[in-house]
């Protein structure tokens, strides 16, 4: 497993990809033609003795949807807060929108849209007032705030709730309102910290749809998630974080190709049986993971594995052949499931 | 630019602080009755102690040496004490809670607003509210026929100055607070000040040594400032009080502006 743990954090970004240049001030070396929206080298966050983010390197390009994938406590939120200029960096280098968060916090924040992990809506105000006052924090004129508020309520399908207080809204509605709020300043860069955690499937799909539309409009999205499907749906490129470090980097497809196989056969046995099967899976697949409740066999042809297993006299209670996902990548890289 | 942006030393917050006042106005639009809560505290004290107890006490020596009714003696002091209490509550406990735990304020920090903008805005709002209470209290004094001099109108800016001085120092003190227990210390300072700063009985009823200590306390400065204005007997002392409270406020702001971001942006 050791060869897979090579940190991809140092991997350079493909220079071939054409990207729109928002900022002409490209002060980096000749290798990078356009300035990335976010540039981090050896970025570190410490809280006393505890290191939450341990020297990570990454770049986010304009127009990209970039994800931080990892379990709770991996350092995703701390990284997001540093990018959002609400948490000073402890060490390393970070530039956001070609500015320095240490000096230019307010100027950077003026161009960000932030969706925090937990809803931070103003419960003392109505839905529409939440948007109005938020626009004012950005210094927008009142009429402009009003115009954008109505437009955004429409965008997140909350127009009929404008006059209601925030509290009675459902979780999905609050999330949508938070996204609308983060768009009031027409941000160049959106930071979404676990945008759909805790939502039901319908609410999640509606939210993904809205985020996808934003991406189509050219808004750069940076999100954290511990949902594989979310990362696969939304991210062009992502980094896998574990224990404060980046352990892999690439597009969802690339990561699956690099760290997993095309297909996975999942075998589930009656309780107590799996423990008696030592050695019986050897040679059946490229790689075998034995989890407490099931055995995962990684191969390019899952059905093939099932057939060979049956011919060896293995009789699992249920069999599932599926495509590899980022979950498998994560398991491979860290030896643990993503959501315990 | 706010008036407080005099020199880089006192650079604290920006014009964005005004947005906090806007937010508060929006909030109070939904329940403006809450605004009146702070009006009643000094009024009840005035009725019970000023008039109730005053009946037993009779006249006391006023700032000019002349005897004045006890109610008139105590009224400006209550105004000063309530300006202090309002400012202290707002700038210590509430301020610490808002910036560290209140999610609303966390969300405001993700906009260009800085902790200094938020604190300054909330401070300004607290002063505006305090100003409204003062106006209400003065109206009551007029109603009870307690007006001796047009200078009483100056108790309004006077009360605002007291509020500003205590709020700035309160915020500065809060920036050193580590736990909620530390806030008990503030009460340990505020309560004796409230009771013994010449609020309820004249300075000359204290022994010599205590008198000097009392005269050095900021609340005494505020009480005597408002009392001289309300009775209409001003002198060099009045200017000393103003200078004392202004200096106190500016020092408080200078300390806060250096410590705030570091403490609140973790």
């Amino acid at each position: 497993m050791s060869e897979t743990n090579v940190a991809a954090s140092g991997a350079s970004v493909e220079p071939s990809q054409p990207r729109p240049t928002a900022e002409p001030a490209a002060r980096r070396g000749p290798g990078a033609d356009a300035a990335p929206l976010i540039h981090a080298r050896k970025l570190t966050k410490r809280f006393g003795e505890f290191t939450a983010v341990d020297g990570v390197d990454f770049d986010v390009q304009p127009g990209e949807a970039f994800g931080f994938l990892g379990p709770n406590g991996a350092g995703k939120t701390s990284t997001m807060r540093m990018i959002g200029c609400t948490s000073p960096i402890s060490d390393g280098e970070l530039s956001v929108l070609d500015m320095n968060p240490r000096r230019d916090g307010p100027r950077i924040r003026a161009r960000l849209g932030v969706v925090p992990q937990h809803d931070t809506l103003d419960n003392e105000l109505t839905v529409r007032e939440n948007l109005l006052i938020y626009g004012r924090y950005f210094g927008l004129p009142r009429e402009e705030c009003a115009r954008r508020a109505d437009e955004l309520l429409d965008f997140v399908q909350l127009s009929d709730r404008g006059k209601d207080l925030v509290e009675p809204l459902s979780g999905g509605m609050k999330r949508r309102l938070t996204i609308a709020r983060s768009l009031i300043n027409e941000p160049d860069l959106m930071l979404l910290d676990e945008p759909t955690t805790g939502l039901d499937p319908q609410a999640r799909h509606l939210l993904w749809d809205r985020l996808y539309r934003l991406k189509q409009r050219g808004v750069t999205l940076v999100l954290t998630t511990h949902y594989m499907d979310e990362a696969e749906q939304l991210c062009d490129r992502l980094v896998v974080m574990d224990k404060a470090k980046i352990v892999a980097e690439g597009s969802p497809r690339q990561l699956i190709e690099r760290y997993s196989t095309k297909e996975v056969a999942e075998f589930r046995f009656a309780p107590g049986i799996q423990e008696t099967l030592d050695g019986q899976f050897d040679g059946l697949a490229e790689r075998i993971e034995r989890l407490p409740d099931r055995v995962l066999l990684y191969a390019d042809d899952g059905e093939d594995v099932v057939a060979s297993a049956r011919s060896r006299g293995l009789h699992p209670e249920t069999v599932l052949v599926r495509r590899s996902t980022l979950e498998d990548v994560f398991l491979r890289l860290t030896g643990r499931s993503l959501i315990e | 630019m706010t008036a407080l942006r005099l020199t880089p030393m006192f650079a604290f917050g920006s014009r964005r602080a005004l947005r906090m006042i806007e937010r508060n106005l929006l909030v109070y639009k939904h329940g403006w009755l809450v605004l009146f809560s702070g009006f009643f505290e000094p009024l009840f004290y005035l009725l019970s102690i000023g008039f109730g107890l005053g009946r037993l006490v009779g006249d006391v020596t006023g700032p000019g040496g002349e005897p004045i009714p006890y109610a008139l003696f105590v009224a400006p002091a209550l105004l000063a004490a309530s300006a202090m209490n309002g400012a202290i509550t707002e700038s210590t406990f509430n301020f610490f809670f808002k910036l560290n735990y209140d999610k609303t304020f966390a969300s405001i920090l993700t906009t260009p607003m800085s902790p200094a903008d938020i604190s300054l805005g909330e401070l300004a709002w607290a002063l505006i509210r305090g100003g409204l209470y003062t106006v209400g209290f003065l109206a009551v004094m007029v109603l009870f026929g307690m007006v001796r001099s047009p200078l009483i109108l100056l108790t309004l800016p006077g009360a605002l100055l007291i509020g500003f001085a205590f709020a700035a120092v309160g915020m500065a003190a809060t920036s050193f607070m580590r736990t909620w227990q530390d806030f008990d210390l503030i009460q340990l300072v505020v309560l004796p000040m409230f009771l013994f700063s010449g609020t309820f009985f004249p300075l000359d009823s204290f022994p010599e040594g205590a008198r000097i200590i009392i005269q050095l306390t900021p609340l005494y400065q505020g009480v005597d400032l408002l009392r001289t204005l309300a009775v209409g007997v001003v002198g060099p002392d009045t200017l000393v009080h103003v200078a004392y409270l202004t200096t106190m406020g500016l020092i408080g702001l200078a300390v806060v502006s250096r410590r705030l971001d570091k403490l609140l942006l973790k």
Side-chain angles (χ1 to χ4, degrees):
Chain A
M1 195 117 165
S2 60
E3 87 279 10
T4 59
N5 271 335
V6 172
S9 55
S12 62
V13 188
E14 289 85 346
S16 54
Q17 187 183 330
R19 21 188 130 87
T21 333
E23 298 276 307
R27 23 174 197 88
R28 272 167 266 292
D33 48 341
L37 282 195
I38 307 173
H39 173 78
R41 289 293 176 271
K42 303 255 175 300
L43 181 61
T44 301
K45 181 74 202 183
R46 280 184 290 266
F47 297 100
E49 293 291 288
F50 173 69
T51 305
V53 179
D54 192 2
V56 300
D57 297 351
F58 62 90
D59 287 285
V60 177
Q61 306 299 335
E64 189 173 37
F66 184 87
F68 289 95
L69 180 70
N72 291 329
K76 306 186 303 282
T77 298
S78 294
T79 307
M80 290 291 255
R81 283 175 36 84
M82 286 190 281
I83 299 170
C85 308
T86 51
S87 169
I89 73 174
S90 306
D91 222 331
E93 197 187 311
L94 176 68
S95 83
V96 181
L97 300 162
D98 221 19
M99 289 181 272
N100 179 353
R102 275 186 217 275
R103 273 200 326 268
D104 307 315
R107 279 177 59 211
I108 296 173
R109 292 197 300 269
R111 290 169 59 192
L112 300 183
V114 178
V115 177
Q117 191 173 347
H118 303 287
D119 284 317
T120 57
L121 295 164
D122 200 326
N123 287 320
E124 295 182 276
L125 301 176
T126 66
V127 168
R128 190 163 178 276
E129 283 170 345
N130 258 277
L131 300 181
L132 293 178
I133 193 66
Y134 216 68
R136 296 292 290 152
Y137 296 147
F138 283 93
L140 300 171
R142 277 192 195 79
E143 316 77 68
E144 184 63 17
C145 290
R147 193 184 64 75
R148 289 190 193 180
D150 294 332
E151 215 177 270
L152 287 168
L153 284 177
D154 194 44
F155 178 65
V156 296
Q157 302 179 3
L158 283 173
S159 294
D160 52 334
R161 305 300 297 263
K163 288 195 166 65
D164 295 350
L165 283 173
V166 167
E167 205 39 65
L169 297 187
S170 72
M173 288 178 177
K174 283 184 185 172
R175 220 63 193 133
R176 264 142 57 200
L177 179 57
T178 305
I179 289 188
R181 189 183 69 175
S182 74
L183 290 169
I184 196 90
N185 59 326
E186 298 181 342
D188 297 318
L189 173 61
M190 278 192 83
L191 305 176
L192 303 124
D193 198 359
E194 301 194 5
T196 66
T197 297
L199 298 188
D200 61 50
Q202 264 178 320
R204 296 180 72 197
H205 280 284
L206 179 57
L207 218 86
W208 285 345
D209 172 65
R210 300 295 121 162
L211 293 176
Y212 188 71
R213 288 183 197 205
L214 288 172
K215 202 187 135 196
Q216 294 300 101
R217 290 188 202 168
V219 179
T220 307
L221 305 178
V222 175
L223 60 126
T224 74
T225 183
H226 53 226
Y227 295 123
M228 299 302 140
D229 46 353
E230 186 158 279
E232 292 188 20
Q233 286 261 346
L234 291 174
C235 298
D236 300 319
R237 208 158 55 84
L238 52 92
V239 290
V240 181
M241 278 190 93
D242 187 42
K243 295 177 183 145
K245 286 187 194 300
I246 290 177
V247 292
E249 182 262 350
S251 70
R253 203 65 260 154
Q254 282 172 339
L255 287 171
I256 290 166
E257 276 166 18
R258 204 177 308 151
Y259 297 107
S260 193
T261 53
K262 231 186 225 151
E263 293 189 338
V264 189
E266 288 196 14
F267 289 9
R268 229 177 257 272
F269 293 90
I273 303 290
Q274 195 189 310
E275 290 74 12
T276 67
L277 299 176
D278 277 346
Q280 299 215 35
F281 302 101
D282 293 356
L284 273 181
E286 263 182 55
R287 196 165 64 85
I288 294 152
E289 287 286 353
R290 296 181 68 158
L291 302 181
D293 59 336
R294 67 213 139 110
V295 183
L296 306 182
L297 296 107
Y298 291 90
D300 282 335
D301 188 341
E303 294 297 345
D304 220 33
V305 173
V306 176
S308 327
R310 290 236 160 89
S311 68
R312 278 195 192 184
L314 289 166
H315 295 289
E317 286 222 314
T318 60
V319 171
L320 169 71
V321 175
R322 58 170 176 82
R323 283 174 54 215
S324 265
T325 68
L326 286 172
E327 175 87 46
D328 302 300
V329 171
F330 191 79
L331 190 64
R332 174 81 185 271
L333 287 170
T334 68
R336 289 175 297 118
S337 303
L338 205 72
I339 304 170
E340 252 89 64
Chain B
M1 294 293 120
T2 65
L4 294 168
R5 264 212 166 163
L6 297 175
T7 68
M9 189 188 166
F10 297 116
F12 183 68
S14 68
R15 205 174 45 184
R16 283 189 285 263
L18 293 174
R19 313 286 176 238
M20 293 312 294
I21 298 176
E22 267 186 70
R23 172 183 179 269
N24 279 300
L25 286 174
L26 269 183
V27 171
Y28 282 94
K29 216 172 71 183
H30 294 293
W32 53 270
L33 266 178
V34 193
L35 264 182
F36 286 92
S37 60
F39 165 68
F40 290 103
E41 187 198 297
L43 182 64
F44 290 153
Y45 270 108
L46 179 66
L47 293 177
S48 68
I49 294 175
F51 291 104
L53 201 63
R55 208 163 274 219
L56 305 174
V57 176
D59 284 0
V60 290
T61 317
E66 283 173 51
I68 54 170
Y70 183 67
L72 178 59
F73 174 82
V74 113
L78 290 171
L79 205 51
S82 94
M84 170 186 80
N85 281 329
I88 291 282
T89 313
E90 199 57 48
S91 67
T92 58
F93 206 76
N94 289 357
F95 170 60
F96 189 76
F97 176 82
K98 280 172 181 169
L99 284 162
N100 282 295
Y101 299 96
D102 192 310
K103 290 176 186 172
T104 302
F105 288 79
S107 77
I108 299 173
L109 284 173
T110 67
T111 73
M113 307 270 290
S114 68
D117 294 330
I118 295 177
S119 341
L120 192 64
E122 289 291 286
L123 170 66
W125 174 248
L127 291 182
I128 290 172
R129 244 171 33 209
L132 289 176
Y133 302 150
T134 305
V135 170
F137 192 82
L138 289 177
V140 172
M141 286 178 75
V142 172
L143 220 70
F144 283 106
M146 296 165 79
V147 177
R148 296 256 167 131
S149 149
L151 283 178
I152 195 170
L153 286 175
L154 289 178
T155 54
L156 176 58
L160 291 179
L161 177 63
I162 296 169
F164 162 71
F166 277 99
V169 168
M171 284 201 282
T174 303
S175 75
F176 291 94
M177 299 288 165
R178 299 257 164 259
T179 64
W180 289 109
Q181 277 73 40
D182 292 343
F183 286 97
D184 294 341
L185 292 175
I186 292 178
Q187 278 314 307
L188 209 62
V189 176
V190 168
L191 189 63
M193 237 188 339
F194 173 58
L195 292 173
F196 301 113
S197 292
T199 332
F200 298 105
F201 29 94
L203 192 64
D204 52 26
S205 45
F206 291 95
E208 177 75 39
R211 253 182 260 173
I212 294 169
I213 295 172
I214 288 168
Q215 280 178 304
L216 288 175
T217 65
L219 184 58
Y220 172 80
Q221 300 284 326
V223 165
D224 202 55
L225 171 66
L226 296 198
R227 191 171 280 147
T228 52
L229 290 172
V231 179
V233 188
V234 293
D237 276 7
T238 313
L239 288 179
V240 171
H241 299 327
V242 170
Y244 179 110
L245 293 168
T246 309
T247 311
M248 171 177 159
L250 290 180
I251 290 175
L253 272 194
V255 172
V256 185
S257 66
R258 269 148 209 236
R259 297 182 48 86
L260 199 59
D261 285 19
K262 208 183 286 177
L263 279 153
L264 293 170
L265 301 178
K266 291 188 182 98

